Amino acid sequence: MNLANLSPLAVLLPILGAALAFLLIRHHTAQRVVSIGILSATLLLECLLLISVWDGGTTSVTLGGWLPPWGVVLVVDQFSSLMLVVSTVVSLAVLIYATGQGMADGDQEAPVSIFHPTYLILVAGVSNAFLTGDLFNLYVGFEILLTASYVLMTLGGTGPRIRAGVTYVVVSVVSSVLFLIAIAMIYGATGTITMADLAIKLAELDQGTQNLLHVMLLVAFGIKAAVFPLSFWLPDSYPTAPAPVTAVFAGLLTKVGVYAMVRTETLLFPGDTLNVPLMVVALLTMIVGILGALAQSDIKRLLSFTLVSHIGYMVFGLAMSSVAGLGAAVFYVAHHITVQTSLFLVTGLIERRGGSSSIDRLGGLAKLSPLLALLFFIPAMNLAGIPPFSGFLGKLGLLQAGVELGTPLAITLVVGGVVTSLLTLLAIARVWNRAFWRKPEDAEYPDPVLQTPGNVGVLPRTMVGSTAGLVVFGVALTVFAGPLFKVADGSAEIMLDRSAYIHSVLGDSVVVPPLAQPDEAQKDLTASDDARTGDAK
C-alpha cells in the first residue's frame, strides 16, 4: 500500500482528537493525554509520508470518489511532507509546553477545556493547507486555522488581548476576502480551481488577466505571510497572546502564507513575471523589519519584528526562480519555524523567571538560571546566522544563489541580507547583554522576582523540557543539514519542473505547457545549479 494514501489522516486525526478532547471537557488530565497522544500519532504518520516521498516521489489522493479536476485532491511531495513534519514537531513541543504551563498556573492563562480542542483544530487547518491541491480547499484550510487562532489569541479575555484580537481578525478577514475574490475570478476565467489543472489553463489566458490574478493572490498571501508593507498588524497582535500561543503563531501561521506563495508562484505562475517586484519587497521586508526590532525594549515585540524581517529571506529565495534559491528558501523555512518558536518559548520562561519580558526590567538571568541562558543563547545565535548553525547555512545558500544570479538587484539583496543578519546579531546581543549578562540591580526598573536567586521552582520542568527538546531539534537541523538540503533542493527541482505534480493529479497523458525561456542570467544560474548537482553526485 502506498503510504501517501494515508495522508488525509494528517488532517482527520487532529479533528477527531479535538472532538474527543471537547467531550472530555471536565477531565483535564484525559484531555492532555488525548491531545498529546493524537499529535504524536500524527507526527509518526507524517514522518512515514516524508520517507515515502524522500526520493522525489509525488502522490495525489482524491477525496470523496470525485476525480480531479472536479473533486478535492491532496498532494504529497517533498515540500508538503517536510512542512508537515516540521510544523507538527513544533506544534507538539508547544502543546507540551502549554500543558506544563496550565498545570503550573491552574489553567488561568489558557483554560484547558478551551485550549486543547481549539489547538488541535489549528493543527488540522495547517496540515490541510500544506496538503491541498485545490485553491478553495486551501482557502478552507486558512479559515480553519484562522478561526482557531482568533480563539487562542483572546484566551483570558484581557483588554490588550481583545484589542489585538480585533486587529488580527480585521486584517485576516480582509486577506481572506481578497483570496476568495481571486478564487472566484480564477474559476470564472478557467472553470476550475484544481491547482494542477490551473497550471495548464492559466497559461491559455491573456497576459493581462494572468497578471491581475497573480497580483491578487500575492497580495492575499502577502498579508498572511506578513510581507512588508502588509506586515503592520503582526508586531501589535502576537506579543499580547499567552506564551505558547504566541510561539505557535510566530512559528507556523506566517509560514503557511509563505508556503502558499511558493506553491502558487512555482505551479500556477512560473517564470519571472513579478520577480523584480518580489525582490524589492523582500529587501524592504528585511530592512524595515530589523530596524523595527532594534527600536524595541520588549523581547516579544523585538522577536515579532525579526519574524517579519526574516520572511524577506524566504521571499528572496522564491523570487530568484532557481533551484539554488528556492532550495535554500525551503531549507530556511524549516529552520525559521523551529528557531523562532524556540525563542518565543524561551521568552515565556524569561517572563516567569524574571517577572517581565522587558529588557529594562531584567538582568542577571545568566547567573540566576544558567539553563535558561543556554536555551536562549543557542536559538538566538541560530537566528542571527552564526556558523555553523542552520541559520548560517540557509542564509549562505540564499546569498550564493543571489551572487550566481548576478543581477544588480540580486547583488543588492545579497548585501541587504548580510546587513540584516548583522543587525539581527546586534539586536540579539542587546537582549543578551541587558537581560542575561548585567547585574539585576543594574536594571532600570528591576522586577522583585530577580532578587530571589534560589527560586528555581519558577520554571516548571515540563515547560523547560519541551523548550529544550525544540532547541535540540533546531541543532539537529544543523547536524543533518546535508540530508535536509537534499530534500530542499529536490523539492525545488520538482516544483520548478511542475510535471511530476501535474501528472500525479491529472495523469501521465496530460501535456505540461513549456515554461517561458529564461534570460541569459537565468540560463547561467541554471547551468550553475546543474554543476552543483553534478558535484554533489
Side-chain angles (χ1 to χ4, degrees), residues 10 186 259 335 466 488:
I186 289 172
Y259 175 88
H335 144 81
S466 58

mmCIF file of all heavy atoms in Angstrom, residues 10 186 259 335 466 488:
data_model
loop_
_atom_site.group_PDB
_atom_site.id
_atom_site.type_symbol
_atom_site.label_atom_id
_atom_site.label_comp_id
_atom_site.label_asym_id
_atom_site.label_seq_id
_atom_site.Cartn_x
_atom_site.Cartn_y
_atom_site.Cartn_z
ATOM 1 N N ALA A 10 -3.576 13.006 8.325
ATOM 2 C CA ALA A 10 -2.857 14.132 8.908
ATOM 3 C C ALA A 10 -3.804 15.279 9.249
ATOM 4 O O ALA A 10 -3.510 16.106 10.124
ATOM 5 C CB ALA A 10 -1.765 14.620 7.952
ATOM 6 N N ILE A 186 -10.643 33.425 -10.755
ATOM 7 C CA ILE A 186 -9.911 32.338 -11.415
ATOM 8 C C ILE A 186 -10.890 31.291 -11.948
ATOM 9 O O ILE A 186 -10.748 30.801 -13.080
ATOM 10 C CB ILE A 186 -8.898 31.714 -10.438
ATOM 11 C CG1 ILE A 186 -7.739 32.682 -10.192
ATOM 12 C CG2 ILE A 186 -8.374 30.385 -10.959
ATOM 13 C CD1 ILE A 186 -6.794 32.242 -9.095
ATOM 14 N N TYR A 259 4.251 29.383 2.370
ATOM 15 C CA TYR A 259 4.036 28.135 1.617
ATOM 16 C C TYR A 259 3.082 28.371 0.450
ATOM 17 O O TYR A 259 3.323 27.902 -0.668
ATOM 18 C CB TYR A 259 3.480 27.057 2.552
ATOM 19 C CG TYR A 259 3.110 25.772 1.849
ATOM 20 C CD1 TYR A 259 4.049 24.765 1.666
ATOM 21 C CD2 TYR A 259 1.821 25.571 1.342
ATOM 22 C CE1 TYR A 259 3.718 23.593 1.002
ATOM 23 C CE2 TYR A 259 1.485 24.397 0.679
ATOM 24 C CZ TYR A 259 2.437 23.409 0.517
ATOM 25 O OH TYR A 259 2.108 22.256 -0.140
ATOM 26 N N HIS A 335 14.066 25.834 8.989
ATOM 27 C CA HIS A 335 14.901 26.363 10.076
ATOM 28 C C HIS A 335 14.164 27.424 10.880
ATOM 29 O O HIS A 335 14.155 27.397 12.116
ATOM 30 C CB HIS A 335 16.191 26.953 9.473
ATOM 31 C CG HIS A 335 16.695 28.176 10.165
ATOM 32 N ND1 HIS A 335 17.443 28.128 11.329
ATOM 33 C CD2 HIS A 335 16.544 29.504 9.878
ATOM 34 C CE1 HIS A 335 17.740 29.363 11.718
ATOM 35 N NE2 HIS A 335 17.208 30.205 10.863
ATOM 36 N N SER A 466 10.212 20.756 27.263
ATOM 37 C CA SER A 466 9.708 20.903 25.893
ATOM 38 C C SER A 466 10.499 21.954 25.124
ATOM 39 O O SER A 466 10.790 21.783 23.930
ATOM 40 C CB SER A 466 8.222 21.277 25.911
ATOM 41 O OG SER A 466 8.007 22.480 26.624
ATOM 42 N N ALA A 488 15.389 19.693 0.334
ATOM 43 C CA ALA A 488 15.024 21.050 -0.079
ATOM 44 C C ALA A 488 15.320 21.271 -1.557
ATOM 45 O O ALA A 488 14.492 21.803 -2.306
ATOM 46 C CB ALA A 488 15.772 22.075 0.778
#
